[in-house]
Amino acid sequence: MFNILNLIEKKKKNEKISESEFADFIKAVVNKTVADYQITAFLMCIYFNKLDEDETYYLTKAMVYSGKVLKWPQNIVNLVDKHSTGGIGDKVSLILLPLLSALNVNVAKMSGRGLGYTGGTIDKLDSIGFNTSLDFNQAYQILLQNKFFVMQQTNEIVPADKILYSLRDTSGTVNNVSLIVSSIMSKKIATNADIIYLDAKVGECAFFKNLEEAKVFGLLCIKIGQKFNKKVVVHYTDMDKPLGRSLGNLIEVKEAIDFLQNKFDCLYLKELIFEFVKDILIDLKMVQNQDQAYAAINNVLQNQEAIKRFLKWNQLQNGRLTTFDSLQNIYQPKYSKTIFASKSGYLKYKSNQELGLILIDLKAGRKQKGDALDFDAGLYLNKYNGEKVEVGQEIITIYSSSPISQEIVKKVEGNIEIRSEKIQLNKTILGVSK
């Protein structure tokens, strides 16, 4: 008979937990036959004494089978899944998925809401009225018609993760690599794509503060994927600078739409998107090299096939941007305040994290899970890290649906530095593990 105290005692002594014990633990979690404080005590033991690779696999497996595993018909081929660990300005999924669809790649995507300044794909889609509460049949029908969908996590798919994550979030046990990997990989395995692509953000305001930490995570994800016969590819990407010029919710959707209409000038965002798509196309043997991949990407941007896939996505998931006219008028915030350069030189935002905290102050991000968002709130970087500015030029514009306080303006101004010498920035792609 299952006894949670036995598991707590074992892990307190740093003894190994068996596959059957993890299975019994997760069953008890889902069936609510174990108290929250006991689950938290076990998680705390894991946090301090860690899990080895086998234990991480046992936990992940038990979480996968705590609910349904999606089973795709044989007519669905080249199915990929993509997940990011979250970062400021990360609107990659909004661009990547329509692009891949236009290039004949199927994508199954389960996303979440944002907490803090990390941003959430579901929040961004909420800002344009999307229905992301899909069941399997709805998701499958959308996949058939447009080659991709985005859905929220449901109570039927990895229900254990929802329970464990909420307890980790309130008990200071989030930052443990095995618990992170089991949470992410259980959802990816349950979604059952052929190849899983992970974007591990690295930097000041990312989950991983350095590349070494990120690689521990990435290599463990790859090993866990292998145990489920799934190929996992991990890109390590820089998050010491924002990803794109637009930071927020609706404003990021606008930047994604502009990109899909072949209108963009943030080279870092372009580099990331093109590299991701290139690697996916080569992995699926749809192209042979980078030149062929880039030519294919540019083609679907220029012939408007990518933006057409976005519009069809809106139609299929009940969004409100169903025409080209609606795309042009998507972003009309009531209040704005622009900060201008006080001198000439090279721009440096002192802290990327501070930009994120300002987004929370504007209500573009959440302090707590239940917080309501202002979808119009956000920041637009007229000038980006490392760009040359002249005195009097626009640097950053603050947007909101309510009056913008002087306190927020001062925070933005205080985060701006203009240097006389050119600034060396990190590479956007820091590495790849397969």
Side-chain angles (χ1 to χ4, degrees):
M1 186 173 180
F2 174 72
N3 186 339
I4 184 65
L5 293 178
N6 291 340
L7 290 193
I8 293 171
E9 286 299 323
K10 283 185 75 170
K11 197 34 86 174
K12 272 170 63 178
K13 298 173 185 175
N14 205 16
E15 296 176 4
K16 189 162 181 170
I17 309 298
S18 71
E19 183 173 357
S20 62
E21 285 173 323
F22 271 118
D24 289 341
F25 167 66
I26 291 299
K27 192 179 296 181
V29 168
V30 174
N31 292 337
K32 301 187 184 303
T33 57
V34 59
D36 285 355
Y37 65 86
Q38 293 175 311
I39 299 171
T40 300
F42 184 49
L43 292 173
M44 191 65 73
C45 292
I46 291 173
Y47 179 82
F48 284 111
N49 288 329
K50 302 179 173 50
L51 302 179
D52 65 18
E53 183 184 319
D54 287 335
E55 289 176 301
T56 306
Y57 167 63
Y58 300 152
L59 175 57
T60 305
K61 183 178 179 182
M63 290 171 66
V64 169
Y65 294 109
S66 68
K68 289 184 178 179
V69 176
L70 300 183
K71 294 183 179 179
W72 302 102
Q74 291 183 343
N75 62 326
I76 302 297
V77 297
N78 290 343
L79 183 65
V80 304
D81 191 356
K82 176 263 174 191
H83 175 83
S84 168
T85 57
I88 294 177
D90 186 358
K91 74 278 296 172
V92 169
S93 292
L94 302 179
I95 302 168
L96 189 70
L97 272 56
L99 259 179
L100 289 173
S101 169
L103 292 163
N104 209 33
V105 178
N106 290 303
V107 189
K109 180 87 173 79
M110 186 181 294
S111 294
R113 300 188 186 282
L115 185 60
Y117 45 69
T118 58
T121 300
I122 297 298
D123 294 323
K124 295 174 179 59
L125 294 178
D126 280 350
S127 75
I128 49 173
F130 265 53
N131 170 30
T132 54
S133 298
L134 307 176
D135 59 30
F136 173 74
N137 186 58
Q138 289 172 313
Y140 173 56
Q141 292 302 320
I142 293 169
L143 188 63
L144 282 179
Q145 295 178 67
N146 203 35
K147 294 193 170 293
F148 73 100
F149 64 84
V150 175
M151 66 187 292
Q152 296 183 49
Q153 185 177 359
T154 72
N155 291 327
E156 293 183 319
I157 300 173
V158 198
D161 179 63
K162 222 171 190 179
I163 300 167
L164 291 183
Y165 190 85
S166 65
L167 294 173
R168 285 168 57 209
D169 190 45
T170 55
S171 63
T173 55
V174 171
N175 194 12
N176 172 277
V177 69
S178 290
L179 295 177
I180 297 166
V181 168
S182 62
S183 175
I184 291 172
M185 290 302 294
S186 61
K187 295 191 285 287
K188 302 295 105 180
I189 299 300
T191 306
N192 207 12
D194 300 315
I195 308 179
I196 299 163
Y197 290 89
L198 302 178
D199 177 6
K201 301 293 187 190
V202 181
E204 174 201 8
C205 60
F207 201 87
F208 304 107
K209 301 307 176 188
N210 57 63
L211 187 56
E212 291 71 26
E213 286 181 12
K215 284 189 173 180
V216 170
F217 159 80
L219 294 174
L220 184 54
C221 286
I222 289 170
K223 289 176 180 177
I224 297 301
Q226 288 170 345
K227 292 178 184 294
F228 288 95
N229 296 314
K230 296 292 183 185
K231 180 177 180 178
V232 178
V233 179
V234 186
H235 290 81
Y236 308 103
T237 63
D238 178 54
M239 195 32 69
D240 276 335
K241 56 182 181 286
L243 192 52
R245 293 191 183 273
S246 299
L247 316 179
N249 288 289
L250 192 54
I251 191 172
E252 287 191 35
V253 177
K254 177 67 167 65
E255 186 171 26
I257 288 169
D258 287 344
F259 194 109
L260 292 168
Q261 295 183 94
N262 208 30
K263 296 182 291 186
F264 47 85
D265 66 353
C266 180
L267 297 180
Y268 310 110
L269 180 60
K270 178 185 177 182
E271 179 186 359
L272 194 69
I273 295 292
F274 274 53
E275 282 297 298
F276 279 9
V277 176
K278 179 260 294 181
D279 286 350
I280 292 170
L281 294 179
I282 291 176
D283 287 342
L284 294 175
K285 297 180 169 49
M286 300 177 76
V287 298
Q288 294 182 335
N289 53 47
Q290 176 177 292
D291 289 345
Q292 290 181 5
Y294 283 9
I297 297 166
N298 283 317
N299 182 54
V300 296
L301 289 172
Q302 291 165 7
N303 68 14
Q304 296 195 320
E305 187 58 34
I307 192 62
K308 287 176 183 175
R309 297 298 177 115
F310 186 97
L311 284 169
K312 190 170 184 181
W313 182 24
N314 271 262
Q315 178 187 0
L316 293 170
Q317 293 198 215
N318 300 321
R320 61 181 173 84
L321 303 176
T322 53
T323 67
F324 275 97
D325 286 342
S326 63
L327 296 180
Q328 308 311 315
N329 302 313
I330 174 179
Y331 196 54
Q332 303 288 334
K334 188 173 182 181
Y335 295 93
S336 66
K337 171 72 175 177
T338 298
I339 311 298
F340 299 90
S342 58
K343 62 180 181 178
S344 299
Y346 294 92
L347 178 69
K348 174 76 168 65
Y349 295 106
K350 295 178 185 177
S351 167
N352 198 28
Q353 186 173 34
E354 181 63 21
L355 287 176
L357 294 173
I358 291 166
L359 289 173
I360 295 174
D361 289 341
L362 286 166
K363 295 185 169 31
R366 295 185 179 87
K367 290 181 180 177
Q368 299 179 16
K369 285 192 175 180
D371 290 350
L373 295 176
D374 176 358
F375 289 137
D376 280 344
L379 301 171
Y380 185 77
L381 310 181
N382 300 283
K383 293 294 182 180
Y384 201 83
N385 275 7
E387 284 191 307
K388 194 170 186 349
V389 299
E390 301 295 338
V391 62
Q393 283 188 324
E394 296 181 351
I395 292 182
I396 187 168
T397 303
I398 310 166
Y399 292 107
S400 178
S401 63
S402 57
I404 298 164
S405 72
Q406 191 58 33
E407 182 183 357
I408 289 177
V409 172
K410 285 182 178 179
K411 284 184 178 182
V412 173
E413 290 175 336
N415 197 37
I416 293 170
E417 182 180 357
I418 299 176
R419 299 180 179 180
S420 57
E421 296 180 356
K422 198 165 186 179
I423 297 165
Q424 184 68 38
L425 298 178
N426 294 339
K427 293 190 298 183
T428 303
I429 308 283
L430 304 174
V432 182
S433 294
K434 296 185 179 184

